[in-house]
Amino acid sequence: MRGWGSVLPLVFVHGLIGPLADHRTLSLLRPATVVCPDLLGYGAETDAADITIEAQVDHVRAAVDRAAPDTRVHLVGHSVGGVIAMAFAHQYPNRVASVVNVEGNFNLGDAFWSAQLARMTPREAHDLLAADRADPARWLRDGGVEPTDENISSAAEALAHQPAGTLQAMAHAVVEFTGRSQYEPLLRKVFQDVPVHLVAGARSRAGWNLPEWALGAAASYTEIPHAGHMVMLEAPEAFGNLLLDLGQR
């Protein structure tokens, strides 16, 4: 893999609660071109009506075409964003130089939170998000993240980045897509077609249903110490430095 300073951009695909990009990470990646699109239903895209994994792939493809026409990109997908990144690489392998999969869902076991959210009533989902928004420090502590002032600010931004309806729509989409019998063959094909780098937080690794075949087929596997599932929030500099290292391989 060529360095991030080459002509190939990085595209960050955020997870269920966005955005993924942290300024402390992005500052380490300069002068690389980094694209951080809001998925459908998020940020500036909250008017989206039809949220499926396929629709999100098409949406990311449009963002890639605008920012980096006629070139390949490195995809960085976190959690649910890892599902979208892998689906993108499967559909458009000629546009993907590599995938950095940060605890992306490999099966329904990884979608346990999405499954819980999908079963809630709209009112329950609304009340849950409202409670988290009212106390982002508690939300961080519940996730094992130290509630520093900067982390609280980042958490408040992430929780405000999407309405509860988007969370439920994405939860349904993830459960439906990763529950398909074709999902594992899709993943295996991506590992054959492009380099896939696997990244986990050391604290959350035990809860990631990462199959042995994926470990064996991966271009690399890294655990970030002292971090959990929200590695880009807990350890933004370590995450950025890891991406820099991967860019030199």
Side-chain angles (χ1 to χ4, degrees):
M1 184 188 301
R2 299 174 64 188
W4 300 135
S6 73
V7 296
L8 300 183
L10 292 89
V11 178
F12 281 57
V13 187
H14 65 74
L16 187 64
I17 294 178
L20 166 63
D22 187 290
H23 70 91
R24 292 166 289 182
T25 298
L26 300 185
S27 66
L28 293 171
L29 301 177
R30 298 190 183 101
T33 298
V34 182
V35 183
C36 307
D38 287 331
L39 293 174
L40 293 171
Y42 293 81
E45 303 290 342
T46 51
D47 290 336
D50 185 22
I51 295 179
T52 64
I53 298 301
E54 291 87 352
Q56 298 290 17
V57 168
D58 290 342
H59 180 69
V60 173
R61 171 63 190 266
V64 168
D65 286 345
R66 287 192 299 270
D70 304 319
T71 188
R72 296 184 302 156
V73 298
H74 300 286
L75 295 174
V76 182
H78 171 248
S79 193
V80 169
V83 177
I84 297 166
M86 297 296 277
F88 185 106
H90 182 262
Q91 188 165 346
Y92 304 111
N94 61 320
R95 297 300 305 277
V96 179
S98 71
V99 177
V100 180
N101 187 314
V102 187
E103 293 196 19
N105 297 21
F106 272 84
N107 55 40
L108 283 174
D110 289 323
F112 66 92
W113 170 234
S114 291
Q116 291 179 18
L117 190 59
R119 289 192 296 267
M120 293 181 183
T121 66
R123 185 65 196 181
E124 287 171 336
H126 175 275
D127 290 348
L128 178 64
L129 180 58
D132 290 339
R133 285 175 170 175
D135 193 354
R138 189 266 308 155
W139 182 73
L140 288 170
R141 286 193 296 271
D142 288 349
V145 182
E146 183 182 0
T148 64
D149 288 345
E150 188 155 25
N151 285 347
I152 291 172
S153 177
S154 295
E157 178 186 359
L159 290 165
H161 203 63
Q162 61 285 303
T166 290
L167 294 181
Q168 281 207 292
M170 273 302 300
H172 281 288
V174 170
V175 170
E176 191 277 330
F177 193 82
T178 60
R180 295 176 186 175
S181 60
Q182 306 98 313
Y183 185 55
E184 182 176 313
L186 178 154
L187 295 174
R188 288 180 180 268
K189 185 66 166 60
V190 173
F191 276 82
Q192 293 172 8
D193 289 343
V194 302
V196 178
H197 301 275
L198 300 171
V199 179
R203 287 204 328 272
S204 52
R205 169 62 180 93
W208 189 19
N209 292 281
L210 184 61
E212 287 298 322
W213 68 259
L215 275 172
S220 71
Y221 168 76
T222 306
E223 287 185 18
I224 297 182
H226 315 299
H229 185 63
M230 294 185 286
V231 294
M232 74 299 301
L233 179 63
E234 297 182 71
E237 291 86 2
F239 186 52
N241 284 319
L242 171 60
L243 292 176
L244 285 175
D245 178 62
L246 294 178
Q248 302 305 315
R249 297 185 187 182

